[in-house]
């Protein structure tokens, strides 16, 4: 799996590199180097990281020479990780009223 696909998965579920490291129990350098395509982490590290991402709703998809990522999120989780002002829930920086 390319590092940029891994990074996309992490960002989709709203995890920082440090947050992912903390939850997986690994150091930040292997993640940073992997996402910047400088190195490939050990298989054991990748397994830990994928496990955390999977718990957050990430699904990796491979086929026909293509690798991608899908994030399955609840509505509450989508609002929590969204950068869109229309999706920000209570306590976010922007105040938005909904009429639905």
């Amino acid at each position: 799996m390319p590092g940029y696909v891994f990074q996309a998965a992490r960002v989709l579920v709203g995890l920082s590199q440090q947050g992912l490291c903390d939850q997986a129990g690994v150091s930040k350098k292997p993640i940073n180097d992997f996402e910047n395509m400088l190195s490939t982490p050990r298989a054991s590290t990748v397994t830990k990281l994928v496990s955390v991402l999977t718990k957050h709703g990430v699904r990796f998809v491979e086929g026909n020479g293509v690798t991608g990522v899908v994030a399955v999120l609840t509505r509450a989780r989508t609002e929590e990780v969204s950068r869109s002002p229309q999706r920000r829930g209570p306590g976010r920086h922007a105040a938005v009223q909904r009429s639905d």
Side-chain angles (χ1 to χ4, degrees):
M1 164 180 35
Y4 57 84
V5 173
F6 186 85
Q7 180 181 26
R10 180 180 59 73
V11 171
L12 276 172
V13 295
L15 281 174
S16 65
Q17 285 183 347
Q18 189 61 54
L20 180 57
C21 295
D22 293 345
Q23 291 182 38
V26 300
S27 66
K28 187 176 173 182
K29 183 162 177 34
I31 294 173
N32 190 36
D33 288 351
F34 182 43
E35 289 183 358
N36 289 301
M37 300 179 63
L38 299 173
S39 69
T40 301
R42 294 180 183 161
S44 60
T45 300
V46 172
T47 299
K48 290 176 185 178
L49 299 174
V50 168
S51 176
V52 170
L53 290 171
T54 300
K55 289 177 185 174
H56 282 274
V58 168
R59 301 295 179 263
F60 293 98
V61 181
E62 295 186 55
N64 296 328
V66 177
T67 303
V69 63
V70 175
V72 180
L73 304 172
T74 63
R75 175 138 176 110
R77 183 73 177 133
T78 300
E79 289 176 353
E80 183 180 319
V81 301
S82 177
R83 293 181 178 183
S84 170
Q86 289 81 14
R87 293 216 180 262
R88 289 189 182 123
R92 292 296 189 173
H93 300 291
V96 176
Q97 289 185 333
R98 290 193 159 164
S99 58
D100 46 305

